[in-house]
Amino acid sequence: MSEIADHAVDRQALRRCQRQGLIWVAEEGNRTVGYVIAAVLDGNAHIEQVSVAPTHARRGIGRQLIAHVEGWGRRSGRPATTLTTFRDVPWNGPYYRRLGYRELANTEIGHELTTTMRHEAALPGMDSSLRCAMIKANRGAP
Ligand SMILES: CC(C)(COP(=O)(O)OP(=O)(O)OC[C@H]1O[C@@H](n2cnc3c(N)ncnc32)[C@H](O)[C@@H]1OP(=O)(O)O)[C@@H](O)C(=O)NCCC(=O)NCCS
């Protein structure tokens, strides 16, 4: 997946998210070791990107960043959290399933999430047949 790993960071988009208060980082000492970017899509909290430095992987940092977005969505009255990911990459689909997410059927995918998936499919190295959208309902939500 080198093409995907080589995607340049869109600094303008990052700054926009930062201004909107939609990025949270994990720090160790004064080093940033992970971050998560959120959005609101189709009325749900949406995890746009989550990333943890390989040097700090498998210590629960990713899980905490994801839980943070879920909590933010819950407090804002969002019924669920969504994300898009690779269905079978071990630290993508199977990882999110372990965190309580399930794959959305095509008929369940909302308009804004569909637009996001179309945009992602156009990025270099993305095989849309391997991608899926996932959702985790907030407790107490209908
Ligand atoms: C996905 C990601 C954020 C997880 O962060 P993390 O802090 O390592 O995750 P946690 O410590 O909360 O959970 C670790 C679990 O993730 C999965 N996992 C993480 N790295 C893995 C690897 N190299 N191989 C297999 N499974 C892996 C396992 O289920 C692992 O649980 P285990 O250690 O008990 O086996 C991180 O792997 C990452 O940044 N990946 C690259 C970017 C990416 O794929 N982002 C998601 C886009 S949808």
Side-chain angles (χ1 to χ4, degrees):
M1 293 187 155
S2 51
E3 259 187 299
I4 293 170
D6 285 346
H7 281 174
V9 174
D10 181 343
R11 287 177 184 274
Q12 262 190 334
L14 276 183
R15 280 200 204 96
R16 202 166 45 242
C17 294
Q18 191 182 25
R19 277 197 299 274
Q20 294 170 339
L22 295 174
I23 299 184
W24 294 274
V25 299
E27 291 181 328
E28 191 177 84
N30 57 3
R31 279 189 63 207
T32 298
V33 295
Y35 71 93
V36 66
I37 303 179
V40 175
L41 292 187
D42 302 313
N44 293 315
H46 178 75
I47 296 172
E48 213 158 82
Q49 178 68 42
V50 57
S51 199
V52 172
T55 49
H56 287 70
R58 303 181 103 157
R59 298 189 200 171
I61 296 173
R63 191 179 58 238
Q64 287 181 64
L65 289 167
I66 291 162
H68 190 83
V69 173
E70 292 169 359
W72 166 77
R74 218 169 18 246
R75 287 189 299 280
S76 320
R78 307 284 165 204
T81 309
T82 58
L83 54 87
T84 62
T85 196
F86 284 98
R87 190 176 286 113
D88 295 321
V89 172
W91 54 91
N92 284 186
Y95 172 58
Y96 294 122
R97 270 192 283 281
R98 282 177 54 190
L99 296 181
Y101 287 77
R102 71 164 176 90
E103 187 171 338
L104 281 167
N106 284 344
T107 50
E108 295 179 288
I109 302 177
H111 176 70
E112 291 177 332
L113 196 47
T114 301
T115 304
T116 294
M117 292 181 85
R118 286 208 185 112
H119 173 74
E120 289 170 354
L123 295 172
M126 284 285 193
D127 180 345
S128 58
S129 72
L130 306 178
R131 303 278 295 168
C132 69
M134 300 184 85
I135 191 164
K136 180 177 176 179
N138 283 325
R139 247 174 310 191

